[in-house]
Amino acid sequence: MAAAGGWAAKIMAKPEIKVYPDAQELARAAAQHFAEGAVRAVQRQGHFSVALSGGSTPRAIYALLGGDAYTGLDWSRIHIFWGDERCVPPDHPDSNYRMARESLLDHIAIPKHNIHRIKGEVRPENAGREYDHELRTFFARKGWSADFLGTQTAALRGFQTFDLILLGLGDDGHTASLFPGAPALEVTDRWAIAVDHAQPPPPLVARVSLTLPVINAAAQVTFIVSGGGKTRRLNQVLAPPQSSEPPLPAQLIQPGEGRLLWLVDKDTRG
Ligand code: 6PG
């Protein structure tokens, strides 16, 4: 992968890591990080675009954002997307949308058109194509020239996509639904893509995921990692790359112009 040389050099750059005493303090810090980013973006450009992470870690963060501490957030200016989704119906226990709806969306006054759900209930290829189109349409409104939207997303360099992307880390080193060795890691001409997923970690269902160029074109990418026996994997991801090993998907998250931040709890950092 041409970028491999680049990613190795970039990984050598010291990652920005903040360690919190426990999962609760981590969630508080992550919620504050989200809120501060939202306020700054709305003041600067009138809106804030964020891609939520799935899995279980972010639930506590979203619950804080939907609670009393953040009633001052102007959700009419905030556009919510997802970094990935399992191809299940939106009311399915494995749905990332359902987790966000229960913990956050049901508790805030956000216009329906600000929620850009990945349609897990339709055929994965169709869900991927629809989400890809929704992303291109939304970011076209940011005033970018139409020709950019039709070209290889490698042309994202110099453009900013999301103001913030929240990511988790799987204990196999995946992030979003970009799994080790997956063909999706090589895709540069789509904003979103359907991926098969038949090997652990569960759930073993097809997914839709943002692609690497879109994630790496965000202004701010923030990993939130807590518990679940991830210490070894986290330290591997943050360590200088072993030339013999192919990079883990989480190591390929290297925002070009953007900022990369790791928010972790003490147990996980080890
Ligand atoms: C998903 C997620 C995935 C997740 C990691 C960590 O849909 O599963 O997007 O990338 O963030 O697997 O998950 P936990 O927070 O549950 O450990």
Side-chain angles (χ1 to χ4, degrees):
M1 180 172 179
W7 75 265
K10 280 195 172 253
I11 272 222
M12 302 303 275
K14 198 159 167 35
E16 189 180 354
I17 308 170
K18 293 185 179 179
V19 185
Y20 295 88
D22 54 37
Q24 196 177 22
E25 287 306 313
L26 171 61
R28 282 205 188 100
Q32 187 61 20
H33 173 68
F34 178 112
E36 287 170 1
V39 168
R40 271 199 307 272
V42 169
Q43 281 170 348
R44 185 178 68 248
Q45 62 193 20
H47 64 81
F48 175 65
S49 58
V50 57
L52 299 181
S53 171
S56 55
T57 302
R59 185 185 283 269
I61 302 164
Y62 304 161
L64 288 170
L65 288 168
D68 299 341
Y70 294 102
T71 48
L73 279 177
D74 182 358
W75 292 100
S76 72
R77 305 286 192 136
I78 296 175
H79 284 266
I80 291 183
F81 295 78
W82 277 260
D84 69 325
E85 180 58 277
R86 291 82 177 269
C87 292
V88 295
D91 58 355
H92 189 283
D94 285 339
S95 164
N96 288 336
Y97 165 79
R98 172 173 159 175
M99 185 270 278
R101 181 182 57 72
E102 290 172 341
S103 52
L104 175 61
L105 303 180
D106 283 353
H107 308 280
I108 57 175
I110 185 167
K112 286 257 175 295
H113 61 261
N114 284 26
I115 299 172
H116 305 268
R117 183 177 70 85
I118 301 172
K119 296 195 178 90
E121 68 276 24
V122 307
R123 280 181 58 212
E125 295 70 26
N126 295 345
R129 263 195 297 279
E130 283 185 40
Y131 195 49
D132 181 279
H133 178 71
E134 178 137 5
L135 289 161
R136 292 171 189 265
T137 307
F138 177 81
F139 286 104
R141 273 186 261 142
K142 288 184 81 169
W144 291 335
S145 62
D147 63 353
F148 145 69
L149 295 174
T151 58
Q152 298 277 335
T153 44
L156 285 172
R157 272 193 299 281
F159 290 100
Q160 180 213 306
T161 55
F162 290 96
D163 298 305
L164 172 61
I165 297 183
L166 298 179
L167 291 174
L169 176 68
D171 45 19
D172 62 347
H174 83 263
T175 191
S177 280
L178 299 171
F179 294 92
L185 291 169
E186 308 290 333
V187 172
T188 58
D189 62 350
R190 300 287 303 275
W191 287 52
I193 186 167
V195 298
D196 292 330
H197 183 58
Q199 302 299 326
L204 304 186
V205 291
R207 318 293 190 85
V208 171
S209 182
L210 292 179
T211 55
L212 278 176
V214 177
I215 297 173
N216 282 334
Q220 170 71 53
V221 179
T222 302
F223 278 92
I224 300 159
V225 188
S226 170
K230 296 184 185 169
T231 304
R232 191 180 65 79
R233 189 62 81 182
L234 176 66
N235 292 332
Q236 179 187 0
V237 167
L238 295 177
Q242 306 301 319
S243 54
S244 57
E245 297 287 315
L248 292 166
Q251 290 180 303
L252 295 173
I253 304 301
Q254 295 294 338
E257 312 295 322
R259 185 177 163 227
L260 175 61
L261 173 63
W262 292 79
L263 304 180
V264 305
D265 65 28
K266 195 156 131 300
D267 285 353
T268 312
R269 185 64 177 134

